[in-house]
Amino acid sequence: MSEWDEFGDRLASTFRQVTGRVFLIIASEADPARYVQFAGQDDRLDAEAPATDVVADADESALKESGWTAPNAAQPNWSSSLQLPALASEYKALAARCVVALRDAYGITSPDDLGYRAWREAERMPEGVTWSAEQIERLDRGVDSLDLPGLGLASS
């Protein structure tokens, strides 16, 4: 098994931790504009990869062929979403698309050249709702840095 295949397996496993309000960015340590990023929602996992407006020499044909959705006026990045709960095979397919983006589209030679940043946003009171001070106090304040050791990457 190649180092990229092993990284893809670790990434697919890590997706189960990218849940509501969790964000993850995996980027080249040498050129942080070469990245994939994830936003966990309660009902889906959204993934994005930059287009040639950010990474001028990106091989967008690799992104298209691996199943990413092309950028448009509403979404400037290449994107892919999974409805949750997802099957293990669906997580693996998304991880494979991310490997293609990092390795083939952005030219990153090894997962050893990657780092990550992960965090959980603070819980917010829904718009148009008024809560008591006690309810507001119980809101999750979020976490500035989440440790995801299963990725096998350095946290930045």
Side-chain angles (χ1 to χ4, degrees):
M1 181 178 278
S2 79
E3 65 181 345
W4 280 108
D5 290 336
E6 290 174 6
F7 171 72
D9 287 347
R10 293 191 310 267
L11 180 58
S13 293
T14 299
F15 286 151
R16 293 187 186 279
Q17 296 173 274
V18 184
T19 57
R21 301 183 341 269
V22 171
F23 295 84
L24 168 64
I25 301 172
I26 298 172
S28 163
E29 291 185 318
D31 182 0
R34 298 169 190 272
Y35 66 86
V36 289
Q37 65 184 8
F38 309 91
Q41 312 294 326
D42 291 334
D43 61 345
R44 70 181 193 276
L45 173 63
D46 294 324
E48 295 182 4
T52 53
D53 62 330
V54 175
V55 181
D57 64 346
D59 181 355
E60 291 190 320
S61 66
L63 294 167
K64 182 177 182 177
E65 290 168 11
S66 66
W68 288 92
T69 300
N72 58 49
Q75 170 51 274
N77 289 324
W78 288 83
S79 60
S80 185
S81 292
L82 284 182
Q83 293 300 309
L84 299 178
L87 299 172
S89 61
E90 293 171 314
Y91 285 123
K92 286 183 180 209
L94 178 58
R97 278 192 291 283
C98 294
V99 166
V100 168
L102 295 165
R103 181 190 61 208
D104 302 338
Y106 306 136
I108 298 169
T109 57
S110 167
D112 293 339
D113 299 330
L114 300 170
Y116 79 92
R117 180 170 178 259
W119 68 96
R120 186 177 67 247
E121 292 281 316
E123 190 174 22
R124 293 191 170 87
M125 182 172 55
E127 299 238 356
V129 175
T130 303
W131 283 356
S132 69
E134 182 179 286
Q135 287 173 306
I136 292 170
E137 184 60 33
R138 287 194 310 251
L139 288 173
D140 177 2
R141 304 269 187 246
V143 178
D144 289 336
S145 181
L146 285 176
D147 189 27
L148 300 172
L151 274 173
L153 301 176
S155 177
S156 47

